[in-house]
PDB file of all heavy atoms in Angstrom:
ATOM      1  N   LEU I 392     103.459  94.309  87.830  1.00 95.00           N
ATOM      2  CA  LEU I 392     104.085  93.647  86.687  1.00 95.00           C
ATOM      3  C   LEU I 392     105.572  93.421  86.838  1.00 95.00           C
ATOM      4  O   LEU I 392     106.091  92.323  86.462  1.00 95.00           O
ATOM      5  CB  LEU I 392     103.809  94.482  85.435  1.00 95.00           C
ATOM      6  CG  LEU I 392     102.629  94.051  84.523  1.00 95.00           C
ATOM      7  CD1 LEU I 392     101.340  94.243  85.321  1.00 95.00           C
ATOM      8  CD2 LEU I 392     102.601  94.765  83.240  1.00 95.00           C
ATOM      9  N   GLY I 393     106.257  94.392  87.391  1.00 95.00           N
ATOM     10  CA  GLY I 393     107.674  94.230  87.569  1.00 95.00           C
ATOM     11  C   GLY I 393     108.021  92.975  88.345  1.00 95.00           C
ATOM     12  O   GLY I 393     108.971  92.276  88.051  1.00 95.00           O
ATOM     13  N   ASN I 394     107.235  92.713  89.375  1.00 95.00           N
ATOM     14  CA  ASN I 394     107.475  91.591  90.247  1.00 95.00           C
ATOM     15  C   ASN I 394     106.836  90.297  89.628  1.00 95.00           C
ATOM     16  O   ASN I 394     107.414  89.245  89.653  1.00 95.00           O
ATOM     17  CB  ASN I 394     106.908  91.812  91.618  1.00 95.00           C
ATOM     18  CG  ASN I 394     107.822  92.724  92.441  1.00 95.00           C
ATOM     19  OD1 ASN I 394     108.808  92.294  92.966  1.00 95.00           O
ATOM     20  ND2 ASN I 394     107.441  94.007  92.552  1.00 95.00           N
ATOM     21  N   ARG I 395     105.617  90.403  89.091  1.00 95.00           N
ATOM     22  CA  ARG I 395     104.903  89.202  88.698  1.00 95.00           C
ATOM     23  C   ARG I 395     105.523  88.553  87.473  1.00 95.00           C
ATOM     24  O   ARG I 395     105.694  87.335  87.449  1.00 95.00           O
ATOM     25  CB  ARG I 395     103.432  89.594  88.383  1.00 95.00           C
ATOM     26  CG  ARG I 395     102.621  88.434  87.780  1.00 95.00           C
ATOM     27  CD  ARG I 395     101.217  88.883  87.371  1.00 95.00           C
ATOM     28  NE  ARG I 395     100.326  88.927  88.555  1.00 95.00           N
ATOM     29  CZ  ARG I 395      99.122  89.413  88.506  1.00 95.00           C
ATOM     30  NH1 ARG I 395      98.621  89.931  87.388  1.00 95.00           N
ATOM     31  NH2 ARG I 395      98.342  89.411  89.616  1.00 95.00           N
ATOM     32  N   ILE I 396     105.891  89.304  86.495  1.00 94.00           N
ATOM     33  CA  ILE I 396     106.330  88.707  85.268  1.00 94.00           C
ATOM     34  C   ILE I 396     107.870  88.519  85.227  1.00 94.00           C
ATOM     35  O   ILE I 396     108.416  88.055  84.251  1.00 94.00           O
ATOM     36  CB  ILE I 396     105.910  89.500  83.970  1.00 94.00           C
ATOM     37  CG1 ILE I 396     106.630  90.889  83.893  1.00 94.00           C
ATOM     38  CG2 ILE I 396     104.372  89.718  83.998  1.00 94.00           C
ATOM     39  CD1 ILE I 396     106.182  91.686  82.678  1.00 94.00           C
ATOM     40  N   GLY I 397     108.533  88.971  86.292  1.00 94.00           N
ATOM     41  CA  GLY I 397     109.978  88.770  86.388  1.00 94.00           C
ATOM     42  C   GLY I 397     110.761  89.824  85.651  1.00 94.00           C
ATOM     43  O   GLY I 397     112.005  89.615  85.444  1.00 94.00           O
ATOM     44  N   LEU I 398     110.109  90.942  85.274  1.00 95.00           N
ATOM     45  CA  LEU I 398     110.849  91.942  84.492  1.00 95.00           C
ATOM     46  C   LEU I 398     111.785  92.790  85.375  1.00 95.00           C
ATOM     47  O   LEU I 398     112.910  93.047  84.998  1.00 95.00           O
ATOM     48  CB  LEU I 398     109.777  92.883  83.851  1.00 95.00           C
ATOM     49  CG  LEU I 398     110.324  94.010  82.955  1.00 95.00           C
ATOM     50  CD1 LEU I 398     111.103  93.465  81.801  1.00 95.00           C
ATOM     51  CD2 LEU I 398     109.146  94.869  82.493  1.00 95.00           C
ATOM     52  N   ALA I 399     111.245  93.173  86.533  1.00 95.00           N
ATOM     53  CA  ALA I 399     112.100  94.025  87.454  1.00 95.00           C
ATOM     54  C   ALA I 399     111.630  93.836  88.864  1.00 95.00           C
ATOM     55  O   ALA I 399     111.006  94.708  89.456  1.00 95.00           O
ATOM     56  CB  ALA I 399     112.023  95.476  87.044  1.00 95.00           C
ATOM     57  N   PRO I 400     111.919  92.656  89.471  1.00 95.00           N
ATOM     58  CA  PRO I 400     111.516  92.423  90.845  1.00 95.00           C
ATOM     59  C   PRO I 400     112.102  93.391  91.833  1.00 95.00           C
ATOM     60  O   PRO I 400     113.253  93.786  91.729  1.00 95.00           O
ATOM     61  CB  PRO I 400     112.064  90.981  91.098  1.00 95.00           C
ATOM     62  CG  PRO I 400     112.360  90.428  89.749  1.00 95.00           C
ATOM     63  CD  PRO I 400     112.733  91.576  88.912  1.00 95.00           C
ATOM     64  N   GLY I 401     111.272  93.861  92.779  1.00 96.00           N
ATOM     65  CA  GLY I 401     111.769  94.763  93.805  1.00 96.00           C
ATOM     66  C   GLY I 401     110.760  94.882  94.939  1.00 96.00           C
ATOM     67  O   GLY I 401     109.578  94.643  94.738  1.00 96.00           O
ATOM     68  N   LYS I 402     111.281  95.228  96.151  1.00 96.00           N
ATOM     69  CA  LYS I 402     110.398  95.335  97.255  1.00 96.00           C
ATOM     70  C   LYS I 402     109.791  96.719  97.418  1.00 96.00           C
ATOM     71  O   LYS I 402     108.789  96.936  98.205  1.00 96.00           O
ATOM     72  CB  LYS I 402     111.201  94.984  98.534  1.00 96.00           C
ATOM     73  CG  LYS I 402     111.694  93.581  98.573  1.00 96.00           C
ATOM     74  CD  LYS I 402     112.444  93.270  99.876  1.00 96.00           C
ATOM     75  CE  LYS I 402     112.906  91.854  99.928  1.00 96.00           C
ATOM     76  NZ  LYS I 402     113.686  91.555 101.193  1.00 96.00           N
ATOM     77  N   THR I 403     110.316  97.741  96.725  1.00 97.00           N
ATOM     78  CA  THR I 403     109.796  99.078  96.783  1.00 97.00           C
ATOM     79  C   THR I 403     109.616  99.620  95.371  1.00 97.00           C
ATOM     80  O   THR I 403     110.262  99.185  94.425  1.00 97.00           O
ATOM     81  CB  THR I 403     110.749 100.025  97.534  1.00 97.00           C
ATOM     82  OG1 THR I 403     111.986 100.174  96.770  1.00 97.00           O
ATOM     83  CG2 THR I 403     111.064  99.427  98.924  1.00 97.00           C
ATOM     84  N   PRO I 404     108.728 100.609  95.230  1.00 95.00           N
ATOM     85  CA  PRO I 404     108.572 101.281  93.886  1.00 95.00           C
ATOM     86  C   PRO I 404     109.868 101.770  93.313  1.00 95.00           C
ATOM     87  O   PRO I 404     110.121 101.622  92.135  1.00 95.00           O
ATOM     88  CB  PRO I 404     107.561 102.379  94.158  1.00 95.00           C
ATOM     89  CG  PRO I 404     106.764 101.892  95.303  1.00 95.00           C
ATOM     90  CD  PRO I 404     107.725 101.132  96.164  1.00 95.00           C
ATOM     91  N   LEU I 405     110.708 102.370  94.190  1.00 96.00           N
ATOM     92  CA  LEU I 405     111.989 102.922  93.687  1.00 96.00           C
ATOM     93  C   LEU I 405     112.928 101.801  93.226  1.00 96.00           C
ATOM     94  O   LEU I 405     113.590 101.960  92.199  1.00 96.00           O
ATOM     95  CB  LEU I 405     112.662 103.732  94.785  1.00 96.00           C
ATOM     96  CG  LEU I 405     113.972 104.430  94.371  1.00 96.00           C
ATOM     97  CD1 LEU I 405     113.785 105.349  93.232  1.00 96.00           C
ATOM     98  CD2 LEU I 405     114.586 105.123  95.592  1.00 96.00           C
ATOM     99  N   GLU I 406     112.908 100.689  93.916  1.00 97.00           N
ATOM    100  CA  GLU I 406     113.747  99.592  93.496  1.00 97.00           C
ATOM    101  C   GLU I 406     113.270  99.025  92.097  1.00 97.00           C
ATOM    102  O   GLU I 406     114.146  98.732  91.239  1.00 97.00           O
ATOM    103  CB  GLU I 406     113.709  98.466  94.504  1.00 97.00           C
ATOM    104  CG  GLU I 406     114.685  97.297  94.272  1.00 97.00           C
ATOM    105  CD  GLU I 406     114.642  96.244  95.369  1.00 97.00           C
ATOM    106  OE1 GLU I 406     114.020  96.471  96.428  1.00 97.00           O
ATOM    107  OE2 GLU I 406     115.334  95.197  95.158  1.00 97.00           O
TER     108      GLU I 406
END
Side-chain angles (χ1 to χ4, degrees):
L392 261 67
N394 283 282
R395 174 184 280 174
I396 70 179
L398 181 61
K402 295 181 179 180
T403 66
L405 182 58
E406 187 177 351

